[in-house]
Amino acid sequence: MSTRYLSIAITGAGGAGVISCGELLLRAWAREGGRGLLRKAYGPQIRGGESAALLKLTADERYTAASRYDAVVALDWDNFTRFEDEIVLDADSWVLCDEAQALPPAVVAAGARVVDVPFDELAAACHPEGRVNMLALGVLGRLLGLPATTLAELAGQKLAGKPRDYRDAATACIELGAARDIACQLPVPPMGNKGAWYLSGNQAAGLGALEAGIRFVAAYPITPASDVLEWMAGGLERVGGQLVQAEDELAAINMTIGAAFGGVPAFTATSGPGLALMTESIGLAVASETPVTILNVMRGGPSTGIPTKSEQSDLNIALHGLHGDAPHLVLAPLDIADCVFTTGWAVQLAQRLQTAAIVLSDQFIGQSTAIVSEPRRCAPFAATPAQDPGEEGAYLRYRLTGSGVSALVTPGDAGHRFTADGLEHNEKGTPSSRQSDHQRQLAKRQDKLTAFDFGGDWAQIDGDGPVALVSFGSSAAAVTEAANQLAESGVATRVISLRLLAPLQTAALAAALEGCSRVFVVEQNHGGQLFHYLRGQLDFGQPVHSYALAGPVPLSPENIAQAVATVIAEATRS
Amino acid sequence: MSTRYLSIAITGAGGAGVISCGELLLRAWAREGGRGLLRKAYGPQIRGGESAALLKLTADERYTAASRYDAVVALDWDNFTRFEDEIVLDADSWVLCDEAQALPPAVVAAGARVVDVPFDELAAACHPEGRVNMLALGVLGRLLGLPATTLAELAGQKLAGKPRDYRDAATACIELGAARDIACQLPVPPMGNKGAWYLSGNQAAGLGALEAGIRFVAAYPITPASDVLEWMAGGLERVGGQLVQAEDELAAINMTIGAAFGGVPAFTATSGPGLALMTESIGLAVASETPVTILNVMRGGPSTGIPTKSEQSDLNIALHGLHGDAPHLVLAPLDIADCVFTTGWAVQLAQRLQTAAIVLSDQFIGQSTAIVSEPRRCAPFAATPAQDPGEEGAYLRYRLTGSGVSALVTPGDAGHRFTADGLEHNEKGTPSSRQSDHQRQLAKRQDKLTAFDFGGDWAQIDGDGPVALVSFGSSAAAVTEAANQLAESGVATRVISLRLLAPLQTAALAAALEGCSRVFVVEQNHGGQLFHYLRGQLDFGQPVHSYALAGPVPLSPENIAQAVATVIAEATRS
Amino acid sequence: MTDAIRLKAKDYKSEVKPIWCPGCGHFSVHNAITKAMAALGIDKDRTVLVSGIGCSSRLPAYVDSYGFHGVHGRGLAIAQGLKVARPDLTVLALGGDGDGFSIGGNHFIHACRRNVDITYIAMDNEVYGMTKGQASPTTPMDWDHSKLTPHGPGVRPFKPAALALASGAPWIARGYSGNPNQIAKLIAEAVEFPGFSFLHVMSQCITFCPEQTDWKAIVTESEAPPLADADEAAKQFLHEDGFQTGLLYREQRATWPPPGATAAEEGAPGKLAAAFRV
Amino acid sequence: MTDAIRLKAKDYKSEVKPIWCPGCGHFSVHNAITKAMAALGIDKDRTVLVSGIGCSSRLPAYVDSYGFHGVHGRGLAIAQGLKVARPDLTVLALGGDGDGFSIGGNHFIHACRRNVDITYIAMDNEVYGMTKGQASPTTPMDWDHSKLTPHGPGVRPFKPAALALASGAPWIARGYSGNPNQIAKLIAEAVEFPGFSFLHVMSQCITFCPEQTDWKAIVTESEAPPLADADEAAKQFLHEDGFQTGLLYREQRATWPPPGATAAEEGAPGKLAAAFRV
Ligand SMILES: Cc1ncc(C[n+]2csc(CCOP(=O)(O)OP(=O)(O)O)c2C)c(N)n1
Ligand SMILES: Cc1ncc(C[n+]2csc(CCOP(=O)(O)OP(=O)(O)O)c2C)c(N)n1
Ligand code: SF4
Ligand code: SF4
Ligand SMILES: [Mg+2]
Ligand SMILES: [Mg+2]
């Protein structure tokens, strides 16, 4: 294992509060200058089913899912099998549980070391309102070296609205847990970094949007995008914006377009099924050159698929889901912190280029919470280059300019009235079905994207080895991690993590690939969507391999590294 | 010009009846064993605007749009400029018009030869109810050598519902026109072929669907797909099926899915904007493995675009417009007659493979009417290979089989009850979010398409020259025609016209391209959608060039041939 | 039903365990449906339950009949297509207030108007349960429990019965999850009614709207015969507090498609093709 | 309006020539809108006309104001988003019966419910004009002129006013294309009404429904003051033949969003970010 990390899973029935336990632990860890990630997993039950808090503590902010677990705190074993694919144990793992409850076969088979903690009994004995999750918090806090006072303080804040008795019970349980001597050694990573942020990718995306100027949101709830909206509802209220809960996604995207037409930067968030409903009207934004940003938090597909789990299978629809020739922007944040930058960049690009931007986040980065160094922001664009709408009455909304971008005025601007149109139109905006107008406007809408200088943020490039690992969005972390592992076994790589997917920066990408002898395209879906897309856009001079694996279990750096190593070994042999 | 054809344009105000004139002329021509195509062009006005009947008469059924016109009958010149892009005249062209009306500058510039026919005056003088279009019919009939009696008979049939006076006037005008001696020589192609059919591509697609077993249609009107539905409404009534006019496309596709779930082969037709609205639920058909066929009659895009004109720009959305990994069928008829075969084939494939099939027709073949040899039919598939649902209670709707296709029962079938689901599910159909179930069901849905033997109809291949011209759908005709022209200038080609676009028959296509030194991908859109798709799916061993030109003017064989010749010449030179 | 043995309600339950929270009102509807099926002696193999997406829409898998769990808001469209294509089947559509009145609102009003002979059960908990508690079109204006609408939706809730009536629904009833026997009785009547029957069930969401346990106290059960007069019904529906249960409105009118619409003509496909010959 | 010179109706027309058939009812609405704008002395630069797709929806380009010609059925959503974001503008949404009551039906009922302060003019010709004459949700059951429904749609038409009322619209009126002055008066009132105002205009399609010239004979003009009582209105709307014109219903209720909802907090974006710091 190249990177030192500590992984802890806390599992229990839905009501047991394992997620709260994980959150408090991570917050306390953050206070002490630690770094880490919390992933939440639920069974299909709405309430009362099983859930799991999956923690990965690692000083270097490499936030992939853990490939194995150092410790599992099992408040009970009910339905543990649902998480079997995700919580991998081995002989080095520690299991903290009430030994009175029978161990699931998988745990026995893994040969994990079991430590008896009779959670129910201890919690009940400690306080009439005693809760097992607080007990577990105390126990884990001690193993991590966290002060019980910090844990109790944070728990108190979280339970501020609850009766005093309840809060007292929490403190008592935490203290009891923290006092318990447990014969188990965990490889605790170093702490002591400061200046961290604590947030989820969905919150980060919301913040990025607001900071980039979004003041209007219309949306329809959908998992796993709802919490972007829930955060933004509060945020917009404070910055003087407005959020409309629409009747459906068709209304949401059109309300967004309406607000944007009014000159107010506008945004919506959704997930696969909602994005599918929006594509007709995203095409309207493209044709009418109205700037809108759509955040799509990807989940398992197709159809309703697996709503609560992650996948990267909406790349195809994001790139190609609009009817007609409808060039637009597609971006993807690379990690939780990068959600701030990439969403903000998308908003600014949409405004500058007067088109639609689709941002592809996913459930993994969207709903995981992490401690991160202060996120980078997208510097505010210089004011849009002066665009003179010209004299009153002579305004051409869709004027053919060198850049493809025309002067955009908004209602209220005196004397530059026009009608925006999704019908093909001439420069003035009057509907036209002439070949000449059509070809020119098609070219204009394409050229303004192609000609724009996107700078260096189209991708993050690490290393300069001869083996290229190309991925997009949240896969970047797993790929980077795999590259580290490959480096240890002597394979030097070049990791290219794409942030801007459309327009694809083909020249820059080709340059970045120069000198590579072999390319691997890594993504979390079944069809190899990025792989086919890249091949369709670029002439690769070297062999290109696809590593595409659908969700919902996050991509495993180990498996990626192994697959790459195998191909290389075979190539060398033959 | 390699192929002898005669092109005639009849233009006039919307009320003047130029389309009727064109239709009657083509019908009479059909009676005499001629072959030909009628394309209709309208201005944006609903009624009262200008319209044009564009005829191409050609013995060999090469139904591309004419690149120039031998004759124009201009009943008036109002708004002629709207058709300027499409009706190209030159010094060899004849213009029949009332010389009292000033010629448009473009006509003058072309140097066309003008023949004076004072239509209004003659019609009025001939009969109080006299109409210019019937006069023109007579004049043109004579130039083509058609008997005036045939024209009068057909006109009488068409006007059957009108007052006698009206019909008499028509006969009188036709006779007057036919009697007029016009000093103009047209290169009339040979007639005398028999056994022809007279129909539009939209009618052909409707027929293909009904013959393949469609007994349920739900749809929402949209140009240029409405006339498929209008024909099918009558047809379904006669074959004992049912058509529902839905409130929108969302309802249409879901009603279609509902009927299909009931075991009744079901179909819908739409165009770009409607297809965009359907993609979410097409994904449901894919995930729930419910067979449905969607005919998409393409028009100019993006957004509302150019509703009445043709384009091939919905390839991207048809291939990739579904969220998640949602493999399905995409087909495209190659010409008007082929709409029967390809639509029938699509229906049968959807049924056999329990998935969604999207058929990409377009306005050009959909709304043009042609005289064609008896269309080929898709032979009825042998009954679905016996699939044993197994014992009562043990039925697994989504069983993993060798072929990927599972036994499908429909409600009413005793003892094999199941719930179809768009949530990811296990073999039984029970929702599951486990990695193992997800991966297996994803693979199953992909593999059943990949593994199927589609036979030789995936493409039409003509020639075996070293230069490959690859296209899909209605571009095939222009490409074939271009190939003929290239042959004349010594360039031997291989024309590969794709009928099955997804799953792309990569092995067969690679085999078909074997020995080619250069590939041109030809399509009618701005972005080169087919070009990028093919590159993404196939390793081309030779240079590949894109010839992509958006609508609405149909692709020109001459321009294609020239572009190909230029590239080849340059390559030879360098 | 040809089967000699009379099935009990529990025989109509499938083996799949519901995912609902303990105390969810949807359990009552599930029970009521199986009770009604038993009371009608309905043929499992000729019955289809169709739904959209939501906690409520998970129901079809829990009944031992045919089922279709579709996409959010489109259950009614699937159900109508199925019934038109297969008039021999008994078709029930089910879903929640979000599914039916928000994203599915257009299909709802058009289904009322079209009057295809299906039964539609809307399980209304005035909230989006499945997505963790956002406001729906029937949520009270001042319900401020969702972060998405922190001061409440601020919009007057729909009155589903009034909307159904104005859209043309010929059969309208209301049930309450606290009284599954009444729901069962209403479902049985709805299934037997020839036309579109709309059963609005107040079905509490214990998790996101625990205050709905108060409904118990304000529900009234109508003993009056259903109104057959649209005026009277409209008056009642626009004013009611939303908690009168029972069969509220019934009118006879022609269903769509008209019966016998699908008789095939002798040799029809051939004749259709022949018409294209020159 | 700051302009000293009072504009006339014709000054509000743009230079784009309408594509409508001679005799189309939509010309009347176009005239009426410009008359109303002149009567209100409205500021062209602060007015936006939003529409969907259809013959009727082509209207915005013919008025010299800002305009948005959107996609089919979604004009009301664009208009609401615009008005919420820019409360300072006067926003009118326009469209046909197909656009508004068929594909756009969900937005229609939700716009009525939401009560954003815009004016919606539905130009109802009981047909899809643009796509060449298919039945719409307001087409008579037995209208058999479309090949798509050769025996007529066979479904009872919607009564748009009844639907609007049941959905919560606070202001409902009806006009007729034969009387553009009345339409102009109603539009002016609608624009001034604080809330969602629904103006249903019977606007004939001379091309596909020439029989609609008969409307002239059956239209009645209401002199009575508008109803403020929902019961009475419901009764009238459910029964009426659909040809009573005038302001039919008016009720005051809170618009959405509540006024002053968008006051920004000092230093807000920074504070939001700060909350994420550990
Ligand atoms: C197109 C689409 N949009 C949004 C969602 C997310 N979603 C799933 S269920 C649901 C609402 C459920 O509420 P309701 O229909 O009232 O059912 P309940 O859970 O309350 O029984 C939503 C918004 C989705 N699945 N698909
Ligand atoms: C998504 C979509 N579906 C269908 C259409 C085709 N379409 C254009 S206008 C129209 C109906 C127009 O009818 P109406 O709104 O009543 O307006 P009218 O032309 O009668 O004024 C339809 C179905 C479309 N443009 N987009
Ligand atoms: S969240 Fe509410 S509606 Fe959903 S299962 Fe739980 S109680 Fe029922
Ligand atoms: S078709 Fe009808 S609605 Fe359209 S412009 Fe002509 S008369 Fe008006
Ligand atoms: Mg609900
Ligand atoms: Mg209309």
Side-chain angles (χ1 to χ4, degrees), chain A residues 221 249, chain C residues 26 53 55-56 72 96-99 125 127-131:
Chain A
E249 287 86 352
Chain C
H26 302 343
I53 298 290
C55 295
S56 35
H72 192 39
D97 44 318
D99 188 79
N125 51 16
V127 78
Y128 292 179
M130 184 62 111
T131 49

Side-chain angles (χ1 to χ4, degrees), chain C residues 101-106 109-110 113-114 136-138 153-159 162-163 165-168 229-231 234-235 238-239 251 253 256, chain D residues 101-106 109-110 113-114 136-138 153-159 162-163 165-168 229-231 234-235 238-239 251 253 256:
Chain C
F101 310 139
S102 196
I103 192 169
N106 205 27
I109 59 177
H110 280 272
R113 180 172 100 81
R114 193 175 283 118
S136 88
T138 50
V155 176
R156 201 155 73 171
F158 272 147
K159 295 180 181 294
L163 201 51
L165 182 77
S167 307
D229 178 70
D231 300 349
K235 187 161 166 175
L238 285 169
H239 286 279
E251 170 206 357
R253 68 186 176 84
W256 195 88
Chain D
F101 309 141
S102 197
I103 193 168
N106 205 29
I109 59 176
H110 280 272
R113 181 172 99 82
R114 194 176 282 118
S136 88
T138 50
V155 176
R156 201 154 75 169
F158 271 147
K159 294 181 183 293
L163 202 51
L165 182 77
S167 307
D229 178 69
D231 300 349
K235 187 162 167 174
L238 285 167
H239 287 280
E251 170 206 356
R253 68 186 175 82
W256 196 90

Side-chain angles (χ1 to χ4, degrees), chain A residues 261-262 288 290 397-398 409-412 416-422 429, chain D residues 44-51 57-70 78 82 90-92 94:
Chain A
F261 176 73
S288 66
T290 310
R397 167 66 188 101
Y398 301 107
V409 301
T410 48
H416 296 110
R417 298 175 292 277
F418 72 98
T419 295
D421 210 318
Chain D
K44 295 173 170 197
D45 290 320
R46 311 194 75 77
T47 304
V48 188
L49 269 58
V50 181
S51 65
S57 291
R58 288 289 197 119
L59 200 146
Y62 311 146
V63 173
D64 185 22
S65 66
Y66 281 91
F68 203 123
H69 186 206
I78 292 182
L82 175 60
T90 299
V91 178
L92 289 90
L94 316 147

Side-chain angles (χ1 to χ4, degrees), chain A residues 174-232:
Chain A
I174 289 169
E175 284 168 358
L176 183 66
R180 195 172 173 92
D181 199 9
I182 305 236
C184 126
Q185 293 297 329
L186 295 179
V188 180
M191 302 178 250
N193 303 312
K194 291 284 167 190
W197 287 38
Y198 179 94
L199 80 181
S200 71
N202 278 345
Q203 290 171 328
L207 180 68
L210 289 196
E211 287 188 340
I214 291 299
R215 290 297 176 271
F216 180 92
V217 173
Y220 187 71
I222 187 166
T223 306
S226 302
D227 32 69
V228 179
L229 304 166
E230 284 163 351
W231 185 85
M232 288 187 93

Side-chain angles (χ1 to χ4, degrees), chain A residues 280, chain B residues 220-223 226 249 270-275 277 299 304 307, chain D residues 20 24 26 53-57 71-74 95-100 103 123-131 134 136 205:
Chain A
E280 187 205 6
Chain B
Y220 187 73
I222 187 166
T223 306
S226 303
E249 287 87 351
T270 188
S271 189
L275 182 64
L277 289 173
R299 62 191 219 182
T304 310
Chain D
W20 297 317
C24 176
H26 302 343
I53 297 290
C55 296
S56 34
S57 291
V71 294
H72 192 39
R74 317 290 165 213
D97 44 319
D99 189 78
I103 193 168
M123 297 150 76
D124 186 355
N125 51 16
E126 303 182 349
V127 77
Y128 292 179
M130 186 59 113
T131 49
Q134 299 84 9
S136 88
C205 173

